[in-house]
Amino acid sequence: MTVHLYPLANGLSTDHPVPGLPFVDDSHIPLDEGPEAIEAVGRNQGEGMWGRYDRHRSSGGWRAFTTDPHDNSLGWSVRYHPEHGRTVLLMKDDDTATLHSAWDGERLLFRAGGYWFDGTTWYRPGQVWDPVEEDYEKRRARAAVTVSAADMLDRRADAARAAVLDVAGVDAEAPATVVENWGDHLALWAAHQAERVGALPLERCVVDLATPELSGAQLIGVPEMAELGGITASTLRAYISRGNSEVPQPQALVGGRDQWARAVADDWVEARQRSYEGVRAVMSAGDRDQLSRGAAEIRDHFAADFQNTLWGRPDVRKRWVLRARNEASVREIANALAWNVAASLDRVLPTHLLGSTIEGAVLHDFAEAIDLDREVQARPKKPVGEKDWLHLWVSRPVAAMLTWFIRHHPESAHRCIGEITREAHTRWGTPAKDTLYTLRQYTVVEGRLSPEEADSFFALLTPPEKND
């Protein structure tokens, strides 16, 4: 899910001004005193105020945000890097936490509707999820060039035509103001930057990026964007109006109309194909009920089964006559249909496949427990109070599934647990009583099997005592 960020203004003490936005006096925020001081401005200072900071261990930097003490509808977001300086932005107070999360990791700057900079390279907005990395794929912007403040300063700019705003001059509910003579405002900021202790030189102050992906020829509007996504333009507009964050933030506003980079739109299409909706569409049966193929097969099976029960059996069909339509008759037919479903569970979830799956999952959990036990036993000195016996475990989802199996298919579960007991003894020499004790405990605690049910069921699995 892409993050939509809409800063309202630049803090005057920023090193990396967002183009087009005005500059606001931030001298009442202790930016030079560190993240703790910034957090303290708003944290626990009153109703509607908050603050937070987090450090970046890998870079030695930090990020922080706080509610503005003069106007609680506004908030300040600060990102500091020891090499790349700091970004100071004025936001809606409700948006500061979102930006705080987005600044986690390598992301230092956001421009052009989500393009981001890590200090060296520009990347497109993150949209395609990588389940291995548990993050969005990093896709480089093609031939991207960093535009610095020194690059953007114009000799014709006149700082005297610009002014630094006060927080009182910013309305949190109004759209961000785009300054037409922004070059003049940049010149005023540059003069302040030259006097500020610790400020980055203008050559290192990042203002924007330039890439062929953002050229006019590569920008598309709502109709083209919708066509690529396989939806109507009205549907896309509805998504945007509802604030659907899966639709990427536009890269530009041309003639009052949103425009997206074609490369960003292509990533959006790919993300849609990989989304739950896309997976559902690939596996759809393509029928009237929009069911998956497997669900449609189950529906068709029970539809035919119910048809045979309700119409194919003369003793039931005669109940359709008016005089037989009473509560008792309907209940009897409903019970017959419900019995058909209960007796057909194997068609919904194949028992032989489920048993093998649970067996593998339990043995996997056991293997992790045994590996950990071996590490403990190998320690030169064990912690005080550490036990010598093996502690097996089963994860909560596996225990819940095993309990479901016991309650719905007890005879198959009996066979499955017997296989688990035998395999644990063969692999690791685990006594049957230890395996059964572990499984019983976890099906009660995590799987919600009652102690009485567990005792009765596992008693039938306990090996008989051998007589000498």
Side-chain angles (χ1 to χ4, degrees), residues 30-342:
L31 299 172
D32 296 326
E33 297 178 24
E36 297 95 337
I38 297 172
E39 176 192 79
V41 171
R43 194 177 186 91
N44 298 321
Q45 295 301 312
E47 185 176 356
M49 298 188 67
W50 192 244
R52 173 174 174 168
Y53 80 90
D54 288 280
R55 297 191 180 276
H56 296 263
R57 294 183 178 179
S58 58
S59 69
W62 48 264
R63 64 195 194 277
F65 69 87
T66 182
T67 304
D68 186 90
H70 301 328
D71 185 344
N72 293 172
S73 67
L74 299 171
W76 293 93
S77 293
V78 186
R79 175 71 156 91
Y80 171 77
H81 189 282
E83 179 183 354
H84 300 293
R86 71 186 180 199
T87 296
V88 184
L89 293 174
L90 184 65
M91 311 281 294
K92 290 183 180 180
D93 191 52
D94 291 341
D95 291 342
T96 54
T98 301
L99 178 55
H100 191 80
S101 297
W103 265 339
D104 189 18
E106 302 172 289
R107 299 167 179 84
L108 295 175
L109 304 169
F110 292 93
R111 295 291 187 271
Y115 277 77
W116 60 277
F117 186 57
D118 67 356
T120 304
T121 306
W122 286 96
Y123 299 91
R124 293 200 294 274
Q127 296 188 85
V128 180
W129 185 254
D130 183 343
V132 177
E133 296 293 334
E134 292 191 340
D135 199 355
Y136 293 104
E137 287 188 9
K138 296 168 57 177
R139 298 189 170 183
R140 294 190 177 192
R142 183 162 52 91
V145 176
T146 300
V147 180
S148 71
D151 297 328
M152 292 202 71
L153 277 174
D154 191 332
R155 293 179 182 177
R156 295 169 295 179
D158 185 357
R161 294 195 295 260
V164 177
L165 298 180
D166 187 82
V167 168
V170 180
D171 183 356
E173 298 306 317
T177 302
V178 178
V179 180
E180 293 184 1
N181 62 325
W182 195 71
D184 298 333
H185 289 258
L186 184 66
L188 178 61
W189 164 83
H192 180 272
Q193 186 80 348
E195 298 177 357
R196 183 167 65 85
V197 176
L200 289 184
L202 299 182
E203 293 76 14
R204 294 175 57 196
C205 294
V206 178
V207 176
D208 211 346
L209 80 154
T211 168
E213 294 181 8
L214 296 174
S215 65
Q218 292 298 315
L219 296 177
I220 61 175
V222 167
E224 299 89 348
M225 180 87 162
E227 183 178 359
L228 287 174
I231 58 178
T232 64
S234 60
T235 298
L236 178 57
R237 290 191 182 95
Y239 286 167
I240 296 171
S241 66
R242 292 198 300 266
N244 186 329
S245 59
E246 292 180 359
V247 179
Q249 189 174 340
Q251 277 62 65
L253 190 67
V254 180
R257 298 178 182 274
D258 290 336
Q259 300 281 294
W260 289 267
R262 175 60 187 261
V264 173
D266 288 339
D267 288 348
W268 173 65
V269 172
E270 182 178 346
R272 281 176 56 82
Q273 292 170 345
R274 293 172 178 264
S275 68
Y276 291 142
E277 290 77 10
V279 172
R280 188 183 301 116
V282 168
M283 295 305 296
S284 171
D287 67 356
R288 64 189 183 279
D289 296 323
Q290 299 182 339
L291 296 173
S292 65
R293 296 170 189 174
E297 290 176 0
I298 292 173
R299 178 204 59 200
D300 294 343
H301 165 75
F302 284 114
D305 198 20
F306 292 169
Q307 169 74 13
N308 180 65
T309 300
L310 296 172
W311 192 255
R313 290 171 47 184
D315 60 319
V316 175
R317 185 168 54 189
K318 69 182 181 180
R319 298 175 183 271
W320 293 111
V321 299
L322 186 60
R323 65 177 181 274
R325 297 179 192 174
N326 53 64
E327 183 179 356
S329 180
V330 171
R331 183 182 297 110
E332 186 176 342
I333 295 172
N335 288 337
L337 296 177
W339 181 89
N340 286 341
V341 175

Side-chain angles (χ1 to χ4, degrees), residues 354-366 368 393-406 416-417 420 438-439 442-444 446-448:
L354 179 59
S356 297
T357 302
I358 292 176
E359 179 184 343
V362 170
L363 292 173
H364 172 79
D365 287 349
F366 278 12
E368 284 194 345
W393 72 68
V394 179
S395 63
R396 177 175 294 180
V398 175
M401 197 68 250
L402 177 60
T403 303
W404 187 94
F405 200 31
I406 292 171
C416 171
I417 294 173
I420 292 171
T438 298
L439 296 181
Y442 277 93
T443 54
V444 171
E446 303 290 0
R448 304 299 188 267

Side-chain angles (χ1 to χ4, degrees), residues 1-56:
M1 185 175 294
T2 55
V3 178
H4 293 187
L5 303 168
Y6 297 99
L8 299 174
N10 294 295
L12 185 59
S13 299
T14 190
D15 285 317
H16 307 293
V18 177
L21 295 184
F23 292 89
V24 175
D25 183 7
D26 53 21
S27 59
H28 60 299
I29 305 298
L31 299 172
D32 296 326
E33 297 178 24
E36 297 95 337
I38 297 172
E39 176 192 79
V41 171
R43 194 177 186 91
N44 298 321
Q45 295 301 312
E47 185 176 356
M49 298 188 67
W50 192 244
R52 173 174 174 168
Y53 80 90
D54 288 280
R55 297 191 180 276
H56 296 263

